[in-house]
Amino acid sequence: MEIVTRELKFSTRGEIDLVDITGDVEEIVRDSGIQNGQVLVFVPGATGAIVTIEHESGLLEDFKQALRELVPRGKGYLHGRIDDNAHSHLRATLLGASECFPVIDGRLVRGTWQQIFFVELDVRPRQRRVIVQVVGE
Ligand code: ZN
């Protein structure tokens, strides 16, 4: 079994920024040479998330609006007394910090309309790191 670990680095524009990382992740899988296994996409950080969603501008706006409605800002959260980003943490927890995809015959398997996105949920622009780990043979 082989393990290839890479990192993506990029900056975000603050709440709520969506960054399509599909091409970068697929390139890492291709370059890894691993034919069959899995690829993990993980963000170390409590106010970022990894999701899959269709890359269509209307839908991306719908997604942002749904997040605002599900977990509104400034609802008197307890964590808000410290740094006013409780809603960022809560949204990140609901979405999750990682996604895992099968790698079959050297390719990451996903649906045609299932792009991979990093979601910036913090209240300010950030430098982000996403770990991509391909495991298999
Ligand atoms: Zn916080």
Side-chain angles (χ1 to χ4, degrees):
M1 193 181 70
E2 211 181 326
I3 302 174
V4 173
T5 305
R6 297 283 181 267
E7 260 185 42
L8 303 176
K9 288 183 178 168
F10 50 88
S11 50
T12 65
R13 294 170 298 181
E15 182 179 283
I16 302 168
D17 194 11
L18 300 170
V19 184
D20 188 337
I21 57 172
T22 312
D24 297 307
V25 175
E26 288 183 336
E27 190 180 325
I28 289 170
V29 170
R30 264 198 312 274
D31 292 351
S32 76
I34 290 173
Q35 292 301 300
N36 288 288
Q38 294 187 338
V39 57
L40 172 73
V41 184
F42 173 81
V43 53
T47 54
I50 303 293
V51 303
T52 61
I53 188 169
E54 180 182 354
H55 193 159
E56 189 277 316
S57 57
L59 183 63
L60 297 182
E61 284 308 312
D62 291 338
F63 178 54
K64 292 180 186 183
Q65 189 54 33
L67 284 177
R68 293 186 191 107
E69 287 171 10
L70 277 171
V71 184
R73 194 174 182 159
K75 264 191 73 181
Y77 303 110
L78 299 180
H79 183 70
R81 293 175 193 164
I82 299 164
D83 60 6
D84 201 28
N85 71 348
H87 64 290
S88 309
H89 288 277
L90 294 171
R91 289 170 182 174
T93 296
L94 289 178
L95 294 176
S98 67
E99 292 284 348
C100 193
F101 302 85
V103 174
I104 300 176
D105 295 334
R107 294 188 57 213
L108 181 152
V109 179
R110 61 178 177 85
T112 308
W113 313 117
Q114 190 177 28
Q115 276 76 35
I116 309 165
F117 275 82
F118 171 81
V119 188
E120 180 59 75
L121 295 159
D122 212 341
V123 292
R124 58 191 166 84
R126 298 277 305 257
Q127 289 294 122
R128 288 297 189 178
R129 204 155 70 84
V130 169
I131 294 169
V132 180
Q133 190 167 59
V134 194
V135 178
E137 52 192 17

